[in-house]
Amino acid sequence: MSKTSKTAYAILGMLTIEPMSGYDIRQLMQKSTAHFWSESDGQLYPALANLTELEWITCKLAKKNTRDKKIYSITKKGRTELKKWLTEEALTFSVRDEFLLKLFFGANIAPRINAEHIAARRYQVKSSIAQLKATKDYLMQEEKNSPHLTYWLMSLDYGIKLAQAKLAWCDEVINKLNVE
Amino acid sequence: MSKTSKTAYAILGMLTIEPMSGYDIRQLMQKSTAHFWSESDGQLYPALANLTELEWITCKLAKKNTRDKKIYSITKKGRTELKKWLTEEALTFSVRDEFLLKLFFGANIAPRINAEHIAARRYQVKSSIAQLKATKDYLMQEEKNSPHLTYWLMSLDYGIKLAQAKLAWCDEVINKLNVE
DNA sequence: TCGCACATGTAACGCGTTACATGATTAC
DNA sequence: GTAATCATGTAACGCGTTACATGTGCGA
């Protein structure tokens, strides 16, 4: 197991929800953790093979009509490793926001162009709020009894709160640039 | 020039503030853009050499006492390229927050442990707010006449607003976990 | 019948980090 | 005298993305 990559744990975590295929995991990540964590295909599939070899997960072939599908489940060993990781302090945190980097150097171009960039960002943020809220409503209806619900809602509320702060900031700075 | 890396532009932008050494650029990044953008030594120094070769920047040796120091300046060509980039829409945006990933899977461990993680995070966020505010105060006093000030304050306000939202979220979810 | 969603993977590439190497100066 | 800061770089490594390869099933 690699010492720095968290891909394995992201997979293990997803498999505590229910047994899933690699494709399902990717879909679920895009719907649920994308606003703070994501993995690409090139990470996911090799990691699944590796975890199977380690016996942290097992694989069962499912015939879905004529097409094969690999359904992965977490093992006892896998659960132990996951819990160990969940208990440790989180260290990895990285952001790279090209938009803010450009704005930081905004004095080099016309205020109008910066204002346009902010307006575009505002639109994106607004869409993301709508999407996060829709997911929240969906979960509260469809996953009422899931033991995961509390934590899923927490991570969603985090995303919503941050996005709302971003929105408020956009409005504030657009005003500042327009009066200049 | 690489098509995906923004290191070159981050350097060019910094050099529009004033001529600087590689060491200065790194220091400045850590003090100013770290909350949304950063570069490591292994990116910075080769990029400086590369940009000099392209004539987007120039290099002058400064004798600081007996020790050599390379002071870089942005060229006209460099300014043109920077402005071009600043005008284009920002595309790169990535976050990886291990803390939130762990919380998302929090149902697998005791609520108390999750609460502890959140408390640790709360402390970090609080420190970062203090630091961002201190930087803001410093800039408003010491850079009153800089043409960059408006944009620097905007990026700081972004960081402060977001951190405050994070703080509010921490308080909210800690309460939720404690009453359970 | 055309395109999209489902489904699993591999290979190349290069970005970005970490550790290493070196040495001067300054503050305690 | 010794630890921290100033100062510049290189080399190895591997994480993570992107593009490629392949094929099925289904709805319009």
Side-chain angles (χ1 to χ4, degrees), chain B residues 15-16 32 42 57 63 68 70 78 82 101 104 106 109 123 139-140 152 155 158-159 168 174 178:
Chain B
L15 293 180
T16 65
S32 62
I57 62 176
K63 293 268 174 201
D68 277 2
K70 292 183 171 179
L82 177 65
L101 186 62
F104 188 81
I109 53 171
Y123 179 77
L139 288 180
M140 290 200 296
W152 291 350
S155 75
Y158 181 93
I174 285 178
N178 285 338

Side-chain angles (χ1 to χ4, degrees), chain B residues 2 4-5 7 39-43 65-67:
Chain B
S2 128
T4 56
S5 176
T7 308
E39 304 283 352
S40 62
D41 275 20
Q43 297 279 110
N65 302 329
T66 53
R67 173 76 179 150

Side-chain angles (χ1 to χ4, degrees), chain B residues 1 7-8 11 42-52 57:
Chain B
M1 263 296 86
T7 308
I11 291 171
Q43 297 279 110
L44 193 58
Y45 286 105
L48 283 169
N50 186 237
L51 285 171
T52 308
I57 62 176

Side-chain angles (χ1 to χ4, degrees), chain A residues 36-103:
Chain A
F36 57 83
W37 197 273
S38 59
E39 303 283 353
S40 62
D41 275 22
Q43 296 279 109
L44 192 59
Y45 286 106
L48 283 168
N50 186 238
L51 285 171
T52 307
E53 220 176 309
L54 281 171
E55 293 181 350
W56 291 15
I57 62 176
T58 53
C59 177
K60 224 193 246 178
L61 281 174
K63 294 269 176 201
K64 195 215 172 194
N65 300 331
T66 54
R67 175 76 179 152
D68 275 4
K69 204 177 160 175
K70 291 183 172 183
I71 305 293
Y72 294 95
S73 306
I74 188 167
T75 63
K76 204 172 267 188
K77 202 172 173 183
R79 271 179 208 278
T80 306
E81 294 293 339
L82 176 66
K83 282 179 200 170
K84 198 178 123 196
W85 174 73
L86 287 175
T87 305
E88 288 163 12
E89 198 195 350
L91 297 173
T92 298
F93 180 81
S94 65
V95 213
R96 296 203 123 201
D97 190 337
E98 193 186 353
F99 160 73
L100 279 175
L101 186 62
K102 286 187 178 178
L103 191 71

